[in-house]
Amino acid sequence: MGVLNNSLPDIGPVRAVDSAIGWGRKSSIWPMTFGIACCAIEMMAVYAATFDLDRFGAGVPRATPRQSDLIIVPGTVNAKMAVRVKRLYDQMSEPRYVIAMGACVCGGGPYVKWGYNTVKGVHKIIPVDIFVPGCPPRPEALMDGILKLREKVGRNQVFARQAQTAADMDGRYAAAK
Amino acid sequence: MGAIRDYFGNISSALTTAAKGMRITWRYFKHEPPITIQYPRERVEPPPSYRGLHILQQDKCIDCHLCAKACPVDCIEIEAIHHGRTLEWKQFSIDYKKCIFCEFCIPVCPVDCIHMTSEYELATEDPDGMVEDLLTWTGLRPEDQRAVEAAVNKKKGVAAPATIESAKGAPEPGSAEDKAAKIAAIKARLKKGSA
Amino acid sequence: MNETDIHSKLAGAVVSGVGALDESAKDPFVVVDPGSLVPAVTFLKNDADCRMEMLNCVTAVEREDCIEVVYHLSSVTHRHSLTLKTRVERPAGGTHESWIPEVPSVAALYASADWHEREQWDLLGVRFTDHPDHRRILLPEEWIGHPLRKDYVYPHEHGGMPLDLDAVPLYERDEATPSEPAAPRPSGTPLVQPPNPNSDRPDAGGVAPADSDGDLRSIKPGSNDGGGH
Amino acid sequence: MEALEMYTVDPNDDVYTEELKLNLGPQHPSTHGVLRVELKVDGEIITASRCDIGYLHRCAEKIGENVTYLQFTPYTDRMDYLASMNNNLAWSLTVEKLLGVEAPERAQWIRVIVAELNRIASHLIAFGTYGIDIGANTPFFYAFRERESIMALLERPSGARMLYNYVHPGGVAHDIEDGWLEDVLAFCDEFEMRWKEYNTLLSHNAIFIGRTANIGVIPKDMALDYGLTGPVLRASGVSWDLRRDVPYLAPYDDLEFDVPVGEGTHGTLGDCWDRYWVRMREMMESIRIIRQACPRVPAGPFMDKAMNRMYKTPLKPEPGEAYMRCENPRGELGFYVVAEGGTSPIRCRTRAPSFCNLSVLDALLPGTMIADGVAIIGSLDIVLGEVDR
């Protein structure tokens, strides 16, 4: 879609197309098979039968970043791994989403003080959409995060012009009036 | 001759192993109830001992900083001004970016004012949203309130009449009202989370 | 066989460098000279009565005056175990940049020693001479310093990845105007320095923590179960 | 090694292959976390391999030197996160050895039950993910269903789902509630039935046996030389179990259980199938232990009275040192602690079983196919949190 992105006026038909695209995107979020530490086990529990993430169309983890929309970073990222996490993120195609799962990834967690080797939150490396704190978060808490991500994805405007600045907001407000 | 026997032997063993597995699958399909929890429509309550988000009984707290000292990750920030015996509270916050839910802050409290609830959903888009000021934290649901009361009573050695009394007002578990109330609570929470 | 028998056999076999058995310790240990470490371990492994087939653990411990390397050996056949130590004295002013102690490697005797010794090199900077593959194992090869030394200085970043709590995220950095390099840390300081919970920090407001009177903690009255909370 | 000679490159052949460097991991579905293996492959045959670990190094030993003895307990949870109870237990026993105290009897029996339950949960993960490695997706779902039951059971006394922080120096953190032991026994009955299903689904499946038998054979001498422990050592025919040979908890003396040892049923002694089968049988032995232990939990305190003060006043052991080892699901977990009188040790070394078990990988991989390499890594059942600490 490229050049048309966020370039059309924010009117009813464009919005309808946008919401259709958003619905499609949010109903087929494909996460990446990516486990680092403790949280990965709870992430596996989310894929398993008891919680069954497939109910939201996100249950088939992809083994390669090129096919996936969502990277759940489950576990401590250290200096050696951070380079790889960044590379994996760079390999994903747009639109891509990041969930930071667990305290270590949200902001350092237990390793914040004495961890000479750990990155204090993966948002120092890659932009994060949803933070799910907990050590580790319960599977329900991760699903809560994924549901919130679905909302966020559904809200995204693809073609309609986004209100970027305050002046733009004012203009939209006046137009609505 | 042997090769042919191997060939057909392989086919038959492949069929039998597949049939064995499919028999189990069929039995589950036919006879066993589904085990999937339909989150967020239904929610399995963690046990009362669950170590979830914290709650502070502010009127009891004496600002002794013992919980902050006991914390292995230094996630508790406390600030209060003492006016004689009364306290003017500035801050009692827990940084869930660090908290590991180890429960070491609970047993050290000399006045039993900090507790852990069975609340655990804290997913947010904002990294600063994970620092909860317990003075204003209102994420507690009625059942959590009851669990806290029960925990306090248990520690005091009081039998649990308070729990039963407070539970009287609640609709019967499993009834239509109960379900409606739960769904309403979940909706309210989701709305709060997305706002 | 208990530790005393093993020690007497060992002292009888290896001529020099085997110290006395410290029986007051929780796990009785023998201190040997670095020079006679390999013969001692060879003897313990091959002697029919000792048969220490397994090297459980190699640990380097940094003390005030020395670095000691501890070997935990055990025998599956005879079901006994022994702790062996060797010490390298710290030279005057030996810091973690200037002093690399050297101990002979036992990787030729036990394959398990290979990774253990590499780990001790990585984290504590003990060089094991004649080690077949003397590289770092846990940290990246280009890492500076040995983190488990007491005077280790924490880095600000490594390989372009920020390690500070208040670091600016990579994707928000302005490439055109590189930020100033962070000031070097004083020796031995950790990454972030919130108040240390183990220190004797004065309690705010001077309210005495009710450590002495236990009933404030509301242990169940009259119950004799030890657990309070 | 013979396989190596069979497949060496001969440039005079009509079809010859070229040596290729292949990176397996750190993000790879079959490396059980963030293990990276550099492989040299000739076609499908691995000719050389080099493990690269440290992608989950979390400075646990440095932290141990800076926090108090009690505060380090939750960090041991995060080493082998599949068997946190056993890690807690090993650390608590180390501190107890250093202090010279012993937990009350009730605590000891509770410790046995929770440790064995956690051992089953840990082996279930090994079973489920091994199925995925081999290409059978179904066992994963069955294994996680039973694991959820164990999580629910352990959640009740401890209050957490996975990283329990339940076994503390001097006893356990909370008493068990009434009726918990009955629920554990009910789970045992159910699990026995499910275990038979697992065997029908996976253990005796012809394809599974074909993929695992005679693969990655570890002879007895090699296993001892590399310091392997746990199921990996026992599969090679060495009957060595610390619970029986060096009992670290008093109840293990009174309990009756067998130590499963590899027999080479479908191939050579010490192959992947043996390692898998030892784990499967260990689950049943754990069930046997739990069944015996549940009726024998005595009444009494669950925490040493003197030790209860440690929550407020940090422990201060006398100068000294202690090495304590426990039989974890993955092998011998040892903690070596050197105290010099402060509230935290000056050295806190972890002898991680996965670390030693993984070191044999470089010796096993050359000469096998890439797909067999995945089977070998899975059969070692490593947890990277413990390898790197």
Side-chain angles (χ1 to χ4, degrees):
Chain A
M1 299 158 203
V3 285
L4 285 182
N5 272 4
N6 294 341
S7 61
L8 299 183
D10 193 1
I11 50 171
V14 179
R15 279 222 169 157
V17 173
D18 274 1
S19 61
I21 292 173
W23 174 80
R25 278 182 180 168
K26 80 170 188 185
S27 309
S28 64
I29 295 175
W30 285 359
M32 184 164 70
T33 314
F34 184 44
I36 300 182
C38 339
C39 293
I41 307 297
E42 291 294 65
M43 193 180 77
M44 279 154 74
V46 170
Y47 295 137
T50 317
F51 297 101
D52 194 11
L53 195 57
D54 226 356
R55 292 180 290 131
F56 306 111
V60 187
R62 301 283 137 180
T64 157
R66 291 180 182 81
Q67 295 174 353
S68 42
D69 313 309
L70 166 66
I71 174 170
I72 302 176
V73 187
T76 323
V77 178
N78 67 14
K80 210 170 171 180
M81 193 67 202
V83 188
R84 267 74 183 182
V85 173
K86 187 160 189 319
R87 188 181 298 166
L88 284 171
Y89 178 75
D90 290 344
Q91 285 179 352
M92 289 165 71
S93 51
E94 298 268 2
R96 53 196 171 184
Y97 306 100
V98 180
I99 289 185
M101 182 187 184
C104 304
V105 191
C106 289
Y111 306 99
V112 74
K113 190 173 167 190
W114 302 105
Y116 46 82
N117 191 20
T118 54
V119 175
K120 312 297 180 288
V122 81
H123 58 283
K124 307 276 184 213
I125 313 286
I126 54 178
V128 174
D129 291 286
I130 299 284
F131 294 88
V132 185
C135 197
R138 280 176 79 87
E140 289 102 321
L142 176 61
M143 290 180 86
D144 180 44
I146 290 171
L147 289 174
K148 284 192 178 132
L149 180 75
R150 275 164 57 89
E151 271 179 36
K152 187 178 177 177
V153 174
R155 282 203 308 270
N156 254 3
Q157 289 172 319
V158 184
F159 292 121
R161 193 177 295 130
Q162 272 174 327
Q164 298 280 344
T165 57
D168 206 357
M169 280 289 250
D170 288 347
R172 271 175 73 187
Y173 186 66
K177 262 188 174 175
Chain B
M1 212 49 215
I4 292 175
R5 197 180 300 131
D6 279 357
Y7 178 74
F8 284 106
N10 280 347
I11 291 178
S12 86
S13 84
L15 289 177
T16 42
T17 47
K20 269 185 198 168
M22 288 315 281
R23 200 186 303 144
I24 291 179
T25 310
W26 176 251
R27 193 161 57 69
Y28 275 100
F29 186 63
K30 195 76 181 158
H31 300 295
E32 302 252 343
I35 56 160
T36 304
I37 298 163
Q38 298 289 334
Y39 184 88
R41 262 190 293 133
E42 62 179 356
R43 196 184 130 112
V44 175
E45 280 303 317
S49 59
Y50 186 71
R51 312 203 298 252
L53 305 187
H54 298 76
I55 182 178
L56 176 77
Q57 289 176 310
Q58 190 187 336
D59 47 337
K60 276 190 186 176
C61 183
I62 54 166
D63 186 34
C64 67
H65 288 244
L66 278 181
C67 49
K69 267 189 184 176
C71 182
V73 295
D74 295 343
C75 68
I76 307 180
E77 288 291 328
I78 308 173
E79 204 185 330
I81 302 170
H82 288 246
H83 301 290
R85 287 190 72 83
T86 49
L87 294 175
E88 184 193 332
W89 281 101
K90 295 279 179 204
Q91 190 192 14
F92 193 116
S93 67
I94 294 195
D95 189 350
Y96 288 106
K97 286 183 299 210
K98 299 182 195 167
C99 179
I100 55 172
F101 301 91
C102 64
E103 210 196 19
F104 285 152
C105 47
I106 311 295
V108 292
C109 186
V111 290
D112 263 343
C113 69
I114 185 165
H115 309 280
M116 289 178 115
T117 65
S118 51
E119 182 70 47
Y120 47 78
E121 287 144 335
L122 202 67
T124 167
E125 291 179 23
D126 171 24
D128 298 326
M130 287 177 287
V131 184
E132 290 293 349
D133 198 343
L134 294 191
L135 303 176
T136 54
W137 165 236
T138 51
L140 210 64
R141 297 165 301 144
E143 48 261 55
D144 293 325
Q145 192 67 50
R146 284 200 288 279
V148 168
E149 278 169 27
V152 172
N153 285 330
K154 197 181 160 198
K155 275 184 203 168
K156 280 182 187 159
V158 183
T163 325
I164 296 164
E165 235 168 71
S166 59
K168 255 182 200 169
E172 228 173 90
S175 67
E177 298 137 47
D178 182 41
K179 272 183 190 160
K182 267 187 187 162
I183 289 168
I186 289 164
K187 272 185 186 165
R189 264 214 313 290
L190 286 178
K191 211 174 265 175
K192 182 189 149 241
S194 64
Chain C
M1 279 209 307
N2 61 8
E3 282 91 350
T4 324
D5 301 337
I6 303 170
H7 173 250
S8 54
K9 272 205 84 126
L10 177 66
V14 182
V15 184
S16 65
V18 176
L21 183 75
D22 186 344
E23 294 196 66
S24 63
K26 298 238 160 39
D27 302 303
F29 61 84
V30 187
V31 181
V32 298
D33 287 345
S36 52
L37 177 74
V38 174
V41 174
T42 315
F43 171 79
L44 287 172
K45 189 186 178 191
N46 295 332
D47 185 68
D49 291 334
C50 297
R51 294 285 312 152
M52 300 284 194
E53 297 119 325
M54 212 193 274
L55 175 67
N56 294 76
C57 192
V58 179
T59 314
V61 183
E62 189 191 4
R63 292 186 187 267
E64 290 278 307
D65 53 341
C66 65
I67 275 194
E68 60 182 31
V69 183
V70 186
Y71 298 82
H72 288 97
L73 297 153
S74 62
S75 165
V76 169
T77 322
H78 300 302
R79 298 184 183 179
H80 56 225
S81 53
L82 185 74
T83 310
L84 211 62
K85 285 187 181 183
T86 181
R87 286 189 179 135
V88 184
E89 298 297 323
R90 185 195 288 270
T95 63
H96 110 272
E97 278 106 6
S98 63
W99 172 50
I100 296 291
E102 290 195 353
V103 173
S105 165
V106 295
L109 291 163
Y110 294 100
S112 59
D114 184 346
W115 278 29
H116 279 295
E117 289 178 349
R118 274 175 71 189
E119 193 192 327
Q120 297 316 304
W121 157 248
D122 190 356
L123 299 182
L124 266 131
V126 179
R127 179 163 282 130
F128 291 90
T129 50
D130 304 331
H131 189 281
D133 184 18
H134 206 276
R135 291 178 296 133
R136 283 182 185 271
I137 187 165
L138 294 176
L139 294 167
E141 192 56 44
E142 63 279 1
W143 192 271
I144 300 163
H146 301 282
L148 286 194
R149 291 285 192 91
K150 300 291 179 201
D151 55 350
Y152 176 68
V153 182
Y154 282 55
H156 290 289
E157 66 167 35
H158 177 81
M161 296 296 145
L163 298 176
D164 276 346
L165 185 62
D166 49 0
V168 181
L170 288 183
Y171 49 91
E172 284 174 9
R173 285 184 189 179
D174 192 359
E175 295 294 327
T177 52
S179 56
E180 287 177 23
R185 291 173 201 284
S187 176
T189 46
L191 282 169
V192 282
Q193 199 130 37
N196 185 356
N198 307 328
S199 72
D200 295 314
R201 181 172 63 183
D203 290 310
V207 175
D211 196 14
S212 48
D213 48 5
D215 35 16
L216 263 179
R217 265 196 64 207
S218 60
I219 294 173
K220 204 184 275 185
S223 69
N224 59 353
D225 64 342
H229 64 283
Chain D
M1 294 301 139
E2 286 156 21
L4 251 184
E5 282 155 29
M6 231 166 76
Y7 289 102
T8 38
V9 183
D10 182 3
N12 299 322
D13 275 1
D14 286 345
V15 181
Y16 68 92
T17 52
E18 195 180 331
E19 207 164 48
L20 181 81
K21 230 179 174 182
L22 183 73
N23 258 312
L24 200 69
Q27 187 261 337
H28 190 275
S30 65
T31 49
H32 289 237
V34 284
L35 167 69
R36 170 162 170 249
V37 193
E38 289 173 45
L39 298 174
K40 267 189 190 164
V41 290
D42 177 16
E44 272 290 294
I45 309 296
I46 299 169
T47 54
S49 93
R50 199 162 78 168
C51 274
D52 186 8
I53 60 173
Y55 289 94
L56 195 50
H57 179 53
R58 301 195 273 194
C59 336
E61 290 177 4
K62 186 81 177 180
I63 293 168
E65 292 168 17
N66 287 298
V67 297
T68 65
Y69 289 90
L70 179 65
Q71 282 176 344
F72 191 58
T73 323
Y75 287 97
T76 61
D77 279 333
R78 284 151 185 82
M79 285 176 188
D80 183 356
Y81 38 80
L82 297 181
S84 330
M85 283 291 185
N86 303 61
N87 287 24
N88 282 179
L89 176 60
W91 173 251
S92 303
L93 287 170
T94 314
V95 178
E96 282 168 19
K97 186 175 178 181
L98 199 61
L99 289 163
V101 297
E102 200 169 311
E105 213 188 336
R106 181 177 174 82
Q108 300 221 5
W109 284 90
I110 296 174
R111 282 174 174 192
V112 167
I113 294 171
V114 292
E116 295 302 323
L117 274 176
N118 210 179
R119 188 185 308 274
I120 299 173
S122 166
H123 283 343
L124 276 173
I125 296 260
F127 157 76
T129 51
Y130 198 39
I132 291 190
D133 288 349
I134 300 295
N137 271 321
T138 329
F140 169 77
F141 294 100
Y142 287 86
F144 261 74
R145 181 192 53 190
E146 261 67 72
R147 188 172 175 274
E148 288 293 329
S149 314
I150 298 179
M151 297 292 103
L153 277 176
L154 291 180
E155 195 179 5
R156 277 162 63 188
S158 68
R161 248 179 71 89
M162 214 175 96
L163 306 178
Y164 305 105
N165 185 19
Y166 178 60
V167 182
H168 285 178
V172 293
H174 301 272
D175 204 356
I176 51 174
E177 58 185 271
D178 298 336
W180 187 75
L181 292 173
E182 285 75 20
D183 291 351
V184 171
L185 286 173
F187 166 78
C188 290
D189 295 340
E190 194 204 324
F191 184 77
E192 202 159 10
M193 197 182 83
R194 306 292 190 201
W195 187 79
K196 284 173 189 148
E197 268 174 16
Y198 300 159
N199 289 341
T200 322
L201 276 172
L202 193 64
S203 310
H204 302 305
N205 184 307
I207 301 164
F208 179 72
I209 293 171
R211 282 291 309 275
T212 52
N214 290 322
I215 304 290
V217 178
I218 306 179
K220 186 180 166 181
D221 292 340
M222 185 182 178
L224 287 169
D225 192 27
Y226 275 90
L228 309 187
T229 43
V232 183
L233 175 67
R234 288 193 280 275
S236 300
V238 184
S239 180
W240 174 251
D241 190 320
L242 294 173
R243 287 176 293 172
R244 184 195 63 195
D245 298 325
V246 192
Y248 47 89
L249 272 180
Y252 279 126
D253 277 340
D254 304 349
L255 295 165
E256 203 178 297
F257 61 96
D258 294 330
V259 176
V261 176
E263 287 153 0
T265 320
H266 288 288
T268 325
L269 180 70
D271 58 7
C272 286
W273 197 84
D274 270 352
R275 291 196 277 280
Y276 164 83
W277 186 235
V278 163
R279 280 193 197 98
M280 291 305 277
R281 283 191 290 161
E282 264 184 27
M283 285 196 229
M284 280 335 270
E285 293 303 325
S286 294
I287 288 285
R288 211 170 131 195
I289 292 174
I290 295 168
R291 282 216 176 110
Q292 291 171 50
C294 275
R296 295 180 62 179
V297 177
F302 59 90
M303 170 65 88
D304 191 83
K305 203 154 196 171
M307 292 290 280
N308 203 27
R309 295 184 64 81
M310 74 187 162
Y311 292 105
K312 277 184 187 170
T313 329
L315 296 170
K316 252 188 188 175
E318 296 289 306
E321 53 191 60
Y323 179 71
M324 187 74 204
R325 45 191 188 160
C326 285
E327 185 71 29
N328 257 33
R330 278 162 197 79
E332 174 190 318
L333 174 70
F335 281 109
Y336 177 60
V337 178
V338 184
E340 273 194 353
T343 55
S344 41
I346 65 155
R347 182 80 168 97
C348 167
R349 169 87 161 111
T350 315
R351 190 264 184 214
S354 295
F355 182 79
C356 300
N357 290 359
L358 185 62
S359 67
V360 80
L361 189 67
D362 285 347
L364 283 184
L365 283 184
T368 58
M369 306 270 231
I370 295 173
D372 294 342
V374 171
I376 292 170
I377 296 173
S379 76
L380 292 176
D381 187 24
I382 45 168
V383 169
L384 265 295
E386 194 180 52
V387 174
D388 298 342
R389 280 153 283 140

